[in-house]
Amino acid sequence: MTGTLTRPELTAADRCDRCGAAAKLRAVLKSGGELLFCGHHGREFEQGLRDSEAEIQQDER
């Protein structure tokens, strides 16, 4: 059986790792971990995430 692992869509239960607001952006790190950010913190940290080669998988801002 082959398949691709996908992460679930963001829901109202997903919260920003920085402030606890509703998550609007999911970033997957090279190590496989993930970070969730609200729109505000997503904008604040987006360039740093891209510089560290994190993959922005969902952006609902």
Side-chain angles (χ1 to χ4, degrees):
M1 178 176 170
T2 61
T4 302
L5 295 178
T6 59
R7 297 184 191 272
E9 294 294 316
L10 293 173
T11 68
D14 292 313
R15 311 313 286 176
C16 176
D17 289 326
R18 185 71 177 179
C19 70
K24 299 294 182 183
L25 183 140
R26 180 190 313 269
V28 179
L29 307 175
K30 287 177 66 173
S31 65
E34 71 176 21
L35 294 170
L36 302 177
F37 291 111
C38 64
H40 167 81
H41 286 111
R43 283 186 294 281
E44 182 178 344
F45 297 116
E46 184 174 13
Q47 189 57 52
L49 291 166
R50 292 189 188 283
D51 290 347
S52 67
E53 299 180 14
E55 180 182 348
I56 308 298
Q57 284 196 338
Q58 287 180 267
D59 188 347
E60 299 177 5
R61 292 179 283 175

